[in-house]
Every structure is written in C-alpha cells, then in structure tokens.
C-alpha cells in the first residue's frame, strides 16, 4: 500500500516564476492538506482540500493556490515566487471521517534563487 | 486562533535517560492533540494522538503523553531513550494541525 507520494522531490526556481507541486494521497484517503516547513520551523498549514474544494485555509497570500482532482490527488501552485518561499512543502492526506489524523508525504524541497 | 509552544528546542541525552518534551497549546474548541516524529531523512510520522477519554495516551516505540486540560499541556515522555530516538519531535493541535517549532533530540550512545 503506497503512502502519500509527492513530486518532484527537489525543485529550483527563480524569483518571479511560478511552480506547481503534486501530491497523491494514501489509498482510501479523500482529504489533502498542504503545509510549508521552513528550515528550523514546524510545518505551517497552507490549506486543505476535500471534495475538490478548498475547505480551510491558513494565513498564506493568494499567490498560493491549489486544486484537487476527482481521484483525490492535489496540486499546490505558487505564483510570483519570492526568496522567502524556499521551504519544504509537505502534503498530508486523511481518510473519510478522520480528517484529524493525517499521514504525511516526504515533501518537495523548493529553492528560490 | 490556535497555537502551540514547545520548549527546549535542542535536547541532548545519553541512552537510557528519560525524556520529557513540553507542549502547551492555546485553542478554545474541542481539542485534538498530536505528537509527530521526524527521523533523519524520513517523513513526519504520527507518534500518538489524543482525542478524548483517558488523558494518558500511549503511542509507538514506548512513548506516552499526558493531556492536562487545566494546564493546556500535552507533554511527551519516554522513560528510557535509545540512540534510535534521535529525531525531531513536533506537537500539533487540531485538524489543520497548528504545529510547534519542534524539539531536536539527540541521543548519545
């Protein structure tokens, strides 16, 4: 049983560019959450998707947007990249009725130069 | 808003020593509390969770945590650590998981 998978594992972008990160949830899971983890910090909640809609959102600007597909996979898009967007981006999934218990993927390391 | 505070961000212990990591939260609603662990080079993994019931929760690998409502705390403990417990430990609250800054624990063999 594959766990949460994310792609790519590493990414280098230039300021002002746009990036798309991808996540496939654990089998049987329907809810996907995204987190940003800066170096030396705990993960910060970006948003959560359920039934292809954004259900909750953390304190992140509109440059951060997402999408969930009918197969429950999800994308995180970041526009107009800033140096401060450099971080590990984590995806977590949870099963129906158990949105509090989240399983994390390995993350995508984004470096903005 | 929900927030989590973790203290003693860097902890260095010898094997067989006892470990206790503090976690304090602020959240006015129904409390769901978690401890996650991140071993070097690995994913975040759930160590244990508290939703309701017995405030003393047992997790994997001999870890336990105690929920004390009056103190808004959910401290993690292990009586005797091993070298393999070297990791970063995060306390988190609720389903959108407000995380603390983490505790970097190094166990010296």
């Amino acid at each position: 049983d594959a766990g949460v998978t994310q792609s790519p594992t590493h990414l280098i972008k230039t300021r002002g560019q746009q990036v798309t990160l991808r996540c496939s949830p654990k089998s049987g899971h329907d809810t996907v959450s995204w987190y940003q983890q800066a170096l030396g910090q705990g993960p910060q909640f970006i948003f959560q998707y359920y039934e292809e809609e954004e259900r909750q959102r953390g304190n992140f600007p509109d440059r951060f947007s997402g999408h969930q597909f009918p197969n429950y996979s999800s994308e995180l898009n970041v526009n107009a990249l800033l140096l401060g967007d450099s971080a590990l981006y984590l995806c977590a999934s949870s099963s129906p009725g158990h949105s509090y218990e989240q399983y994390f993927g390995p993350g995508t390391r984004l470096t903005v130069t | 808003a929900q927030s989590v505070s973790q203290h003693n961000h860097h902890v260095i212990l010898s094997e067989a020593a006892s470990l206790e990591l503090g976690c304090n939260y602020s959240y006015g609603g129904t409390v769901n509390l978690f401890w996650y662990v991140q071993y070097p080079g690995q994913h975040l993994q759930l160590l244990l969770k508290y939703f309701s019931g017995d405030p003393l929760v047992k997790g994997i690998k001999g870890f336990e945590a105690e929920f004390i409502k009056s103190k808004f705390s959910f401290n993690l403990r292990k009586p005797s650590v091993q070298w393999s417990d070297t990791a970063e430990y995060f306390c988190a609250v609720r389903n959108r998981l407000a995380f603390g800054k983490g505790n970097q624990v190094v166990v010296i063999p």
Side-chain angles (χ1 to χ4, degrees):
Chain A
D1 174 27
V4 179
T5 60
Q6 292 185 243
S7 64
T9 52
H10 296 87
L11 202 52
I12 300 175
K13 289 285 190 179
T14 305
R15 268 183 305 176
Q17 286 188 315
Q18 178 264 345
V19 68
T20 297
L21 311 181
R22 295 176 176 81
C23 170
S24 290
K26 188 175 165 64
S27 178
H29 286 190
D30 63 355
T31 302
V32 173
S33 302
W34 286 92
Y35 295 83
Q36 181 195 66
Q37 186 177 16
L39 210 58
Q41 301 292 319
Q44 298 292 313
F45 176 78
I46 302 175
F47 42 52
Q48 185 179 79
Y49 276 84
Y50 171 68
E51 292 188 340
E52 301 180 49
E53 295 202 354
E54 183 182 291
R55 183 158 71 171
Q56 294 188 71
R57 189 178 182 92
N59 191 23
F60 278 80
D62 292 345
R63 298 187 296 110
F64 289 77
S65 63
H67 190 77
Q68 186 179 34
F69 298 94
N71 67 353
Y72 308 119
S73 67
S74 177
E75 288 182 350
L76 164 67
N77 299 293
V78 187
N79 294 324
L81 284 166
L82 303 174
L83 294 179
D85 295 331
S86 296
L88 181 68
Y89 287 85
L90 297 168
C91 171
S93 71
S94 50
S95 61
H98 293 85
S99 65
Y100 301 157
E101 188 167 341
Q102 299 183 12
Y103 291 79
F104 283 82
T108 293
R109 173 72 62 188
L110 172 65
T111 302
V112 182
T113 61
Chain B
Q2 51 201 348
S3 66
V4 178
S5 296
Q6 290 181 245
H7 314 290
N8 302 322
H9 295 296
H10 293 90
V11 177
I12 300 176
L13 300 165
S14 297
E15 276 192 315
S18 64
L19 172 68
E20 180 159 2
L21 300 177
C23 172
N24 289 93
Y25 65 92
S26 64
Y27 182 65
T30 302
V31 169
N32 304 120
L33 294 159
F34 307 83
W35 275 97
Y36 281 83
V37 61
Q38 191 167 30
Y39 298 104
Q42 295 190 27
H43 309 184
L44 272 168
Q45 300 173 38
L46 182 64
L47 205 50
L48 47 77
K49 63 190 179 196
Y50 173 80
F51 285 2
S52 63
D54 188 344
L56 186 60
V57 179
K58 295 197 183 297
I60 61 172
K61 304 187 180 185
F63 284 90
E64 63 179 31
E66 185 175 12
F67 169 56
I68 303 179
K69 188 175 181 179
S70 60
K71 295 184 178 180
F72 298 92
S73 70
F74 189 56
N75 293 353
L76 180 71
R77 298 192 292 255
K78 185 170 183 177
S80 176
V81 296
Q82 300 172 310
W83 175 79
S84 58
D85 293 322
T86 295
E88 191 147 20
Y89 294 82
F90 294 95
C91 181
V93 62
R94 201 69 168 136
N95 67 316
R96 58 194 284 175
L97 289 185
F99 281 83
K101 290 188 176 181
N103 297 101
Q104 182 66 54
V105 174
V106 175
V107 179
I108 302 169

